Amino acid sequence: MKKRKFCIVIFIVSAALVLGELFARYYLGLGTPPLYIADSQIEYLLKPDYDVKRFGNRHHTNQFGMRSDPLPNTLKDNEFRVMVFGDSVLYGGVLIAQSDLATSILQNNFSKLTAGQVYVGNISAKSWGPGNWLAYAKKYGFFDADAIVLVISSHDCADNPTFEPLNPNTHPTEKPFSALTEGVAKYLPRYLPNSWVAKTQGETDHFLEPSIEDVSRGLKDLEAFLTLAKGVSEEVLVFQHWTREEVNQGKAKLGNEKIRVLCEAMGISPIQLEPYFTESIANGVNPYHDNIHLNQVGQELIARAILEAVPNKLLR
């Protein structure tokens, strides 16, 4: 009798694990996270040529680790190229489908304005900052871009590369053992006390006050990045992202001002995204997914802002 009960328990547990794995993989979309690769210069970037479906949303990268379509090797005579750099805001994450990214929307909108071919590159990753953008540009260049765009947040002025081992919960380098174990390790802590979440997830949307040294290093890298960009393209645009907290308070963090001053000293007039978000909220449409990141509406607003700022003369 005891042996029979033991077998029944084993069967029930095994069946629950199998059903849990199937539910997590095929209903929740777990088990296939976007992957990263460590890089001695850039720190890390999205794994190139990697195509997955996550939470029902397609997520694919090209040969250069952009969250964009494959980039043609040769530039056509009538081709219009825009390279957009950013952090997790531009990257969008797995909750934003590839077609709903600001860069994808922008490519479709530009294509309606010109008979030539249009390519918009999304060069971004979670927690990237000026040092990452600078290193990426030095390694790969700007791909003959007609316009180079940067979407930057207040905290980015001090978000410097650390080259620490990548956190498997935020920047996985390989597929998890199973979809079920990924759900338990990555998402269960969100329902535990905050101290557990901070310890296991390794990231937050609330940033500590940066040190003077970190800000100085970040701004130096930002200046070097913008100098490189201006050296290869006549059109360099900077858009300053505002968090929901900044919008609600009607005032951006100090980093926003430091970035603005640096850009203006370089002859670049940065464009604030705050009016776009404020207008949307006033109209009853929330553009945010959380305090920092944007939903589909927010991505559309970034695309609109860039479309309005890029001179029509660049379109062939």
Side-chain angles (χ1 to χ4, degrees), residues 1-269:
M1 182 64 68
K2 290 184 179 180
K3 184 176 181 181
R4 182 182 177 186
K5 289 183 177 179
F6 178 76
C7 291
I8 292 175
V9 170
I10 292 298
F11 174 79
I12 292 174
V13 171
S14 299
L17 290 174
V18 171
L19 290 175
E21 175 68 21
L22 293 175
F23 177 80
R25 183 172 295 276
Y26 295 107
Y27 183 79
L28 297 180
L30 299 176
T32 55
L35 299 181
Y36 290 80
I37 59 172
D39 186 275
S40 61
Q41 298 167 278
I42 303 171
E43 186 185 20
Y44 59 84
L45 69 158
L46 288 163
K47 182 178 179 180
D49 294 318
Y50 192 62
D51 193 338
V52 296
K53 197 170 185 180
R54 183 83 160 169
F55 300 120
N57 296 322
R58 190 184 179 199
H59 180 293
H60 68 85
T61 57
N62 66 12
Q63 69 270 42
F64 297 104
M66 305 180 197
R67 196 177 174 190
S68 307
D69 294 333
L71 182 67
N73 293 326
T74 57
L75 180 68
K76 295 183 178 179
D77 292 338
N78 62 344
E79 185 177 351
F80 175 61
R81 286 187 179 183
V82 181
M83 294 298 155
V84 189
F85 289 75
D87 58 9
S88 58
V89 173
L90 182 71
Y91 165 60
V94 294
L95 296 180
I96 300 294
Q98 197 88 9
S99 59
D100 293 333
L101 291 172
T103 45
S104 298
I105 297 170
L106 193 62
Q107 181 166 305
N108 290 334
N109 289 339
F110 274 134
S111 296
K112 298 174 183 178
L113 301 176
T114 177
Q117 187 172 342
V118 175
Y119 187 92
V120 179
N122 186 316
I123 306 174
S124 62
K126 290 193 290 186
S127 298
W128 262 13
N132 305 106
W133 303 323
L134 174 62
Y136 187 99
K138 285 183 175 180
K139 184 170 184 175
Y140 294 113
F142 293 97
F143 306 99
D144 298 307
D146 295 282
I148 298 170
V149 176
L150 174 63
V151 179
I152 187 169
S153 305
S154 299
H155 65 266
D156 284 330
C157 71
D159 192 352
N160 302 310
T162 64
F163 293 94
E164 294 179 354
L166 297 180
N167 182 340
N169 285 325
T170 59
H171 298 78
T173 57
E174 56 186 19
K175 291 183 179 180
F177 172 72
S178 74
L180 187 59
T181 57
E182 182 192 10
V184 171
K186 186 170 183 178
Y187 295 102
L188 180 61
R190 297 186 180 187
Y191 300 95
L192 299 176
N194 290 336
S195 59
W196 280 70
V197 176
K199 184 182 296 184
T200 56
Q201 299 292 31
E203 67 175 357
T204 176
D205 64 358
H206 295 285
F207 294 88
L208 300 176
E209 193 67 28
S211 67
I212 296 176
E213 292 77 12
D214 284 340
V215 173
S216 176
R217 177 185 171 191
L219 292 177
K220 182 179 179 181
D221 285 342
L222 177 59
E223 182 179 12
F225 170 78
L226 293 175
T227 299
L228 275 182
K230 291 185 68 176
V232 299
S233 178
E234 294 183 2
E235 199 63 41
V236 177
L237 301 171
V238 175
F239 293 82
Q240 293 193 258
H241 172 65
W242 285 50
T243 65
R244 180 162 54 189
E245 180 182 8
E246 289 174 318
V247 170
N248 289 341
Q249 293 178 350
K251 182 179 180 181
K253 300 292 185 182
L254 181 61
N256 180 285
E257 176 69 9
K258 291 183 178 295
I259 292 168
R260 183 186 65 80
V261 170
L262 181 135
C263 289
E264 291 181 345
M266 298 182 67
I268 300 172
S269 297

